[in-house]
Amino acid sequence: MKKRFRVGRKIMVVVLAAVLCLPVILNPMEAEAAKKKGNSGAATYAVGDDVAFGFFDGTILSWTILTYDDTTKQALVVSRKPLNSRSVTAYRLAIDQMYRDKKTEAGYVRWSENYWRGWLNKTFYETCFNDAERAMILRTTLSETDAKNSIMNYYHDTSMDAYVVQGNKKNSLNMAIYNSQTTTKDYIFFLSSDEYTAHKDTMKNETKLIFPLRTNAYDDPTQGLFGNDTDKLIYRMYYYAGDSIRPAMNIQLGEPEATTDDSSSTTKSTTNSANSKISTSDTSKSTTNTASTSNTKATATATSATTSTATASTASNSKKYANNGTNTGDLTLPDDSEYTTSVGATAQVAIDLEYLNSTEKNYTITYKSSDASVFTVDSSGVITAVGKGSGTITARMKKSNGKTYTMSCRVDVN
């Protein structure tokens, strides 16, 4: 009798534990938020706090808050530890195998074409978060200007360069790489060298792993920049080496206390460093996820660019495009990271004006194909597929006030 009682008690303990853990498994963000209550009963957060958010390879993910705005309730978070589980390792090995099969080597890869960008915004975003969690992830604009500034800041800052700290001479700036940066929009991304420098002391130092940063190396096309979880310095390494990654994203932690100015649809994340350029998070959530895996080697082939003056749509459609006034397109910049077509087919490039946050209607747009043997592009942004291969379509939009935006998308012709 006593034995049956002890067995029954053990069963009850297990069942009770499962019941108590169920809310954490079903909605880890709400379970974590319940631990931090202010006097008003609402969840409160601060820089350095950890939040549970998402489920990856059998483990609930933990994120560290790097910036937090108590008015907008928006936070920039990074994974508490570098992720080096089976899914991360398998994906990197698959990319390595792809290069071996094609008998090619990885060259300089911008963030817009980086294979991790596609994985983060497609596989990771769609499978590791539930509907409620995805609704809280803000789409973030990663601007060309901030990417350039991050490269320049790293070039001038020798204190974070592990190569220089070890007694070596700083290499010269590669202007071709510096000028090739583009604007992208992502749900999930890697920290730039600026962001890592600003927040390295807030990030947890619990492993001896390295992880890639968003900013590419300025001095060697076959290398990238990596953060180090031991000495907190930045290393230049072969960009496809290493098994760990450290995703980051902007998330909404509750309802904002006050609405922002109607003239602006974006909120800037704050930082602890005057030199840091933090990504801009869009408060208007997109309903589509167009980022996908991109594994292309940048080419130096250039074709003649053409120019047109575009007029923004005045239709009631919530999407506003500028592409010679047509308002429709087969691929949209900067939203799309890749587009597939066949030889002889044509496609219209459209430009999403939402992220520009402007009511101005006049733009000068220059379209450019990286390889005319793969596809050409005319002054209206119409692509014509010429031969099999891969190339990059780049659109450079110049506003009447002088501001310029550069966007690109990989084009695969089968």
Side-chain angles (χ1 to χ4, degrees):
M1 185 71 178
K2 290 182 179 180
K3 182 177 181 180
R4 280 185 293 177
F5 176 76
R6 286 196 298 270
V7 172
R9 186 171 60 181
K10 289 181 179 179
I11 293 174
M12 286 296 295
V13 170
V14 172
V15 172
L16 180 59
V19 172
L20 291 175
C21 291
L22 187 60
V24 177
I25 297 174
L26 294 179
N27 202 333
M29 176 59 79
E30 289 185 2
E32 180 70 17
K35 298 176 184 178
K36 295 179 63 62
K37 298 287 186 179
N39 294 331
S40 63
T44 60
Y45 299 91
V47 170
D49 285 349
D50 292 328
V51 291
F53 193 47
F55 200 80
F56 181 60
D57 278 354
T59 304
I60 294 177
L61 291 169
S62 182
W63 306 82
T64 300
I65 297 177
L66 301 182
T67 68
Y68 178 66
D69 189 314
D70 197 42
T71 300
T72 64
K73 308 301 181 186
Q74 291 184 9
L76 172 66
V77 300
V78 68
S79 60
R80 178 179 175 124
K81 296 180 180 180
L83 307 181
N84 65 332
S85 63
R86 61 182 182 271
S87 295
V88 172
T89 302
Y91 186 63
R92 186 192 68 79
L93 292 176
I95 296 301
D96 283 347
Q97 186 62 50
M98 178 194 71
Y99 281 102
R100 286 194 292 269
D101 292 343
K102 292 184 176 181
K103 295 181 171 58
T104 59
E105 294 181 354
Y108 171 68
V109 180
R110 293 175 298 183
W111 174 246
S112 60
E113 299 159 351
N114 189 283
Y115 72 100
W116 278 119
R117 180 187 175 220
W119 185 85
L120 288 171
N121 286 277
K122 192 69 175 175
T123 303
F124 188 69
Y125 172 80
E126 292 182 354
T127 62
C128 295
F129 304 95
N130 60 34
D131 290 342
E133 290 168 338
R134 281 192 296 272
M136 299 171 70
I137 302 176
L138 303 173
R139 202 171 188 193
T140 301
T141 297
L142 309 171
S143 75
E144 171 191 358
T145 301
D146 283 355
K148 286 185 175 181
N149 288 342
S150 188
I151 292 176
M152 187 61 72
N153 290 338
Y154 173 72
Y155 171 69
H156 287 299
D157 183 5
T158 59
S159 65
M160 288 296 295
D161 188 342
Y163 185 73
V164 176
V165 171
Q166 292 167 1
N168 299 293
K169 184 179 179 181
K170 191 84 170 180
N171 293 338
S172 59
L173 178 67
N174 188 320
M175 294 306 297
I177 291 178
Y178 173 81
N179 288 319
S180 71
Q181 303 305 306
T182 60
T183 295
T184 55
K185 292 177 96 173
D186 298 302
Y187 294 112
I188 304 172
F189 47 90
F190 292 153
L191 296 177
S192 69
S193 57
D194 267 1
E195 291 165 330
Y196 176 64
T197 300
H199 303 298
K200 61 183 177 63
D201 293 326
T202 303
M203 297 168 65
K204 310 301 181 184
N205 187 18
E206 302 175 352
T207 71
K208 295 183 179 180
L209 298 173
I210 62 170
F211 44 89
L213 301 175
R214 190 171 76 247
T215 308
N216 297 103
Y218 63 87
D219 61 339
D220 190 337
T222 63
Q223 291 189 341
L225 300 183
F226 286 75
N228 187 297
D229 209 19
T230 302
D231 57 21
K232 300 183 181 180
L233 296 176
I234 295 177
Y235 286 75
R236 295 195 300 274
M237 299 179 61
Y238 181 58
Y239 207 81
Y240 296 90
D243 293 329
S244 63
I245 61 172
R246 207 157 190 176
M249 56 187 171
N250 284 288
I251 60 176
Q252 187 75 43
L253 291 174
E255 294 296 326
E257 293 183 359
T259 58
T260 57
D261 189 345
D262 292 339
S263 63
S264 173
S265 62
T266 60
T267 302
K268 282 286 187 180
S269 300
T270 57
T271 72
N272 297 323
S273 170
N275 293 326
S276 178
K277 292 292 184 180
I278 298 301
S279 311
T280 303
S281 58
D282 298 342
T283 58
S284 56
K285 180 90 170 157
S286 172
T287 58
T288 61
N289 176 30
T290 55
S292 56
T293 305
S294 300
N295 314 302
T296 182
K297 182 174 181 179
T299 65
T301 305
T303 61
S304 58
T306 54
T307 304
S308 67
T309 298
T311 304
S313 169
T314 56
S316 59
N317 194 333
S318 60
K319 277 280 190 180
K320 296 184 176 65
Y321 300 128
N323 56 349
N324 206 28
T326 63
N327 308 319
T328 58
D330 300 293
L331 66 94
T332 306
L333 299 176
D335 300 339
D336 292 339
S337 61
E338 68 174 16
Y339 178 79
T340 302
T341 186
S342 56
V343 175
T346 60
Q348 173 68 66
V349 178
I351 296 177
D352 183 356
L353 294 184
E354 287 184 353
Y355 88 102
L356 294 177
N357 187 29
S358 174
T359 58
E360 185 180 356
K361 296 181 179 181
N362 295 320
Y363 301 87
T364 299
I365 306 177
T366 302
Y367 299 96
K368 183 178 180 181
S369 167
S370 66
D371 192 340
S373 67
V374 177
F375 69 89
T376 60
V377 60
D378 67 11
S379 61
S380 299
V382 176
I383 291 174
T384 301
V386 177
K388 293 183 178 181
S390 296
T392 301
I393 175 67
T394 301
R396 190 173 180 83
M397 175 185 286
K398 186 175 182 180
K399 298 167 64 175
S400 60
N401 62 5
K403 288 187 177 181
T404 302
Y405 301 88
T406 303
M407 300 149 282
S408 65
C409 174
R410 191 182 78 178
V411 177
D412 296 321
V413 179
N414 300 324

